[in-house]
Amino acid sequence: GRIATPEAGMSVSLRGDAMAQDAVADASLLSALDGIAKGTAATPVGPVTAQLRTAMQSALRAFNGWAAFDAQMAPGKTAFLINGARLDSRSGAVITQSGPLNFSDGRLRNPLSFAFSGGGLPQGQLALRQDRGGWASNLNLAPYQAKGGSLALPKLAFAGGNGRAWTFNGQATLSGPLMGGRLEGLSLPVDGAFANGTFTMLQSCRTVSFTSFRTGSLYLPGQTLRACPDGASVIRAGRAGTRFALTSPAIS
């Protein structure tokens, strides 16, 4: 490192490796994962979110981290570069940074991506970029199997932050419980928003298909139909609980 004190003010330059051993995430983050799993328990993605919660909580309770950094701090300017980073959890989860992280003057200056796998997590990648309007990201997940359900999410784009609601858009195929029965092979667009602690999805009519649906004495073989929200959205989850309501002109 180097410290200089010219007339314009003190400047600091640092370069090296940072490491953390047996780190534990803050308890508030762990409890937030409980809320997400509880809010989606009554939906077809309930088994998937429950398994993800368990895997993420296990990963964040004990992990080691490493990063190679280069920092420059001077009056009116701050730059922070991470050339590589890796997180290894005792649970077996591994998260690695792909490409440099260039953070200067309060903004992320270049796109950043992470790859993750192991420890009960799905295999996937998360790409982030920042502009003055907030954040924009792409999430890619390989097919993920959970006890009682499954999810395939080839691509999910989402954006928000900086005072804006988070919005997302993608295509998913999933299987899981629904209305006391079971839904298999549901393929549908995934679009909605998260704002003020409330998650909403499918706010207008969409074309969906499924392999089969069974509940009680009702059995529906595979078909393609139009699904419309019975209200403002098909799914709404928040502090008041979860609401799932749709209508379909084809089976009404």
Side-chain angles (χ1 to χ4, degrees):
R2 180 175 179 272
I3 298 177
T5 56
E7 293 183 1
M10 185 174 69
S11 63
V12 179
S13 299
L14 298 172
R15 179 179 297 172
D17 295 334
M19 291 178 288
Q21 291 184 310
D22 296 325
V24 180
D26 187 84
S28 62
L29 177 58
L30 299 178
S31 62
L33 297 173
D34 288 328
I36 294 173
K38 183 178 179 181
T40 58
T43 72
V45 296
V48 170
T49 55
Q51 182 167 297
L52 277 172
R53 173 201 60 188
T54 301
M56 292 182 67
Q57 287 181 334
S58 297
L60 294 172
R61 283 195 176 103
F63 60 89
N64 300 328
W66 168 87
F69 69 90
D70 190 342
Q72 308 286 330
M73 291 164 280
K77 182 177 181 180
T78 300
F80 197 77
L81 179 68
I82 297 180
N83 291 306
R86 179 182 174 96
L87 183 151
D88 292 276
S89 172
R90 287 185 183 177
S91 70
V94 178
I95 301 175
T96 56
Q97 173 189 317
S98 302
L101 183 158
N102 186 353
F103 189 82
S104 61
D105 299 326
R107 289 180 55 204
L108 184 66
R109 295 294 177 174
N110 63 298
L112 179 66
S113 63
F114 296 93
F116 48 89
S117 61
L121 295 177
Q123 182 177 347
Q125 291 185 327
L126 175 66
L128 301 170
R129 68 181 186 277
Q130 184 183 18
D131 55 32
R132 296 188 183 279
W135 294 85
S137 307
N138 285 313
L139 174 66
N140 303 85
L141 292 182
Y144 183 55
Q145 297 288 331
K147 185 178 181 180
S150 64
L151 172 68
L153 191 63
K155 184 176 182 180
L156 178 68
F158 54 98
N162 209 22
R164 298 182 302 162
W166 285 94
T167 60
F168 54 92
N169 186 282
Q171 183 77 25
T173 301
L174 59 95
S175 297
L178 179 64
M179 297 165 50
R182 183 164 181 82
L183 182 64
E184 296 285 352
L186 175 65
S187 178
L188 77 165
V190 178
D191 60 80
F194 181 79
N196 301 319
T198 299
F199 170 90
T200 56
M201 193 172 87
L202 301 178
Q203 296 175 312
S204 60
C205 294
R206 296 288 189 272
T207 299
V208 303
S209 64
F210 60 90
T211 303
S212 66
F213 172 57
R214 184 187 298 275
T215 179
S217 60
L218 173 65
Y219 173 76
L220 296 177
Q223 57 183 287
T224 299
L225 49 81
R226 293 284 285 174
C228 301
D230 185 7
S233 61
V234 172
I235 297 176
R236 181 182 179 88
R239 298 180 182 89
T242 300
R243 179 180 183 271
F244 181 90
L246 65 82
T247 62
S248 176
I251 59 175
S252 60

